[in-house]
Amino acid sequence: MTALLRLLLLTAGAAVAGTAGLLVGTAVSPMDAVSALAGIGDPSARELVIGLRMPRVLVGFAAGACFGVAGVVLQSVLRNPLASPEVTGVGSGAVLGAVAATLAGGAVAGPIGVLAVAVLGGTLGGGVLWLLAGRAAGPGTADPLRLAVSGVVVSAVLAGGTLLLLTARPQLAGSLVRWLVGSLNGRGWEHWSAVWPVALVVLVAAALLAPVLALLAVDDDHACGVGLAVGPWRSVVVLVAVLATAGAVAVAGALAFVGLLAPHLARAVLGLAGADPRLLVPGAALAGAATVAAADVVAQAVTALAPTGDRPLGMPTGAVTAVAGAVVLIVLVRRSSRAVLGGES
C-alpha cells in the first residue's frame, strides 16, 4: 500500500469518527440527525445538529490535529518517543494560561482571550524549559535528554500553579476542571472561529519545517554537518509546538496523551513511510483529529448509557484519551525496555 493510500486511510478514519460524532447524543436520534444534515426534518433537530454537534466535531478535529503536530515536533526535537506536550512544560503552561484567563473573567475569558493567554502560558512553559536546559547546555545548544528531564520538572511546577489558582477560587473549580481534564462540552462556532486559524498556521508551518525535523531527529552533529544552525531552528520548531498546544488547550483543555498517541498511531498506519516527517506531520494531524473525535463519541455514548438520576454522568473527552494514552504509554515503555534488555544481552 502506498503512502498516499495510507494517508487516505487515516483521513477515512477521521471522517468516520466525525460522522459518528454528529449522530451520537441523547437529544436527537441518529435518524433525526441524518435528516437534519440533509436539511429536512424537525427545525429544532437541525438547530441542535448544525448549531451544537457540528462545531463540537470541528473543534475536536482542530484540537486533535494541533496536539498531533505538537507531538511529532516534540518527539523529533527531543528524540524521545515518549515526549508529548504533557511532559515538556508546554501543555501545563497552556492550561495555566487558560485557567488564569477564565478566572480573570470579562473579555479575556472569551475564546480569543483564552487562546491568547494560553499561548502566553505555553510560551512561558517552553521558555522556562529552555532556560533550564538549553542555557545550561551552552549558548545555542540544548541537550535532548536535559530537555526531557527538565520538561517533567517544569510541567509539575506549572501544574502546581494551576492547582493554586483553583484553590484560590474553589467555587469555580467545577467549571475550571475541564481545562485540566479536557472536554468538548459546550464548544460552539465561536470556538471554531478562534482555533481554525491556529490549526492552519501550525499545519502549514510544520509541513514546511519537515526537512528540519528530519535532521533534528537524527543528531546535532549530522544536522550541523549539512549546514543547519541547530540552536535557532530547534527554537523555531519548538515555538510551533507551543502554538499548536496552546491553540488546542484553549478550546478543548488538556486532552491528555493525544500528543503522545497520535504520532505513534500515524507511524503504525504509515509503516516505513512513518519515518519521513513530510508524511508523519499530516499523518499525525489526521490521527490526532480521529483520536479526539472517536474519544468524544465514546464519552458521549457512556454519558447516554450511564445516567445518574436527573443529571447524566457527563464523561469528559479527556478521560477517554487519558485511558487510551495510558495503555499506549505502557506498551511503548515495555517495548523500549525489551529493546534495551535485548541490546544488553
Side-chain angles (χ1 to χ4, degrees):
M1 186 183 296
T2 65
L4 178 59
L5 288 177
R6 292 174 184 270
L7 283 176
L8 290 176
L9 181 61
L10 285 170
T11 303
V16 169
T19 301
L22 293 174
L23 301 182
V24 71
T26 57
V28 177
S29 68
M31 291 304 299
D32 289 339
V34 171
S35 299
L37 291 172
I40 58 178
D42 184 48
S44 61
R46 291 201 301 273
E47 182 178 352
L48 190 149
V49 173
I50 304 299
L52 296 179
R53 290 188 184 178
M54 187 170 290
R56 177 180 180 133
V57 170
L58 291 175
V59 168
F61 275 164
C66 285
F67 275 126
V69 170
V72 168
V73 169
L74 293 172
Q75 289 172 16
S76 298
V77 170
L78 301 180
R79 303 181 200 120
N80 186 341
L82 302 181
S84 65
E86 295 85 5
V87 294
T88 55
V90 176
S92 299
V95 171
L96 176 61
V99 170
T102 305
L103 287 175
V108 181
I112 301 296
V114 171
L115 175 61
V117 181
V119 169
L120 291 176
T123 305
L124 170 66
V128 172
L129 173 62
W130 221 245
L131 288 174
L132 289 178
R135 295 299 184 184
T141 64
D143 176 51
L145 179 59
R146 192 189 303 270
L147 279 170
V149 174
S150 299
V152 175
V153 176
V154 173
S155 294
V157 172
L158 293 175
T162 301
L163 293 177
L164 285 177
L165 289 180
L166 294 178
T167 303
R169 299 286 295 276
Q171 68 273 22
L172 298 178
S175 63
L176 295 176
V177 166
R178 69 178 185 272
W179 300 118
L180 300 176
V181 179
S183 175
L184 295 177
N185 291 334
R187 302 303 89 180
W189 287 113
E190 66 275 16
H191 300 93
W192 167 246
S193 298
V195 74
W196 78 258
V198 176
L200 180 61
V201 169
V202 163
L203 287 170
V204 172
L208 293 176
L209 291 169
V212 176
L213 291 175
L215 293 174
L216 292 176
V218 180
D219 61 47
D220 289 357
D221 291 337
H222 174 73
C224 291
V226 298
L228 182 72
V230 173
W233 279 111
R234 183 178 277 132
S235 298
V236 170
V237 295
V238 168
L239 184 60
V240 172
V242 168
L243 181 60
T245 302
V249 168
V251 294
L255 291 179
F257 292 128
V258 175
L260 171 70
L261 194 155
H264 290 287
L265 176 59
R267 290 187 184 97
V269 174
L270 292 173
L272 293 176
D276 186 351
R278 292 173 298 180
L279 293 172
L280 185 57
V281 166
L286 290 169
T291 297
V292 173
D296 192 47
V297 170
V298 173
Q300 292 191 72
V302 171
T303 297
L305 294 175
T308 54
D310 295 332
R311 299 183 62 184
L313 179 64
M315 174 175 285
T317 307
V320 180
T321 64
V323 172
V327 173
V328 171
L329 182 61
I330 292 171
V331 171
L332 291 173
V333 170
R334 291 186 62 184
R335 185 177 300 171
S336 299
S337 299
R338 288 174 181 172
V340 172
L341 292 175
E344 292 177 350
S345 61

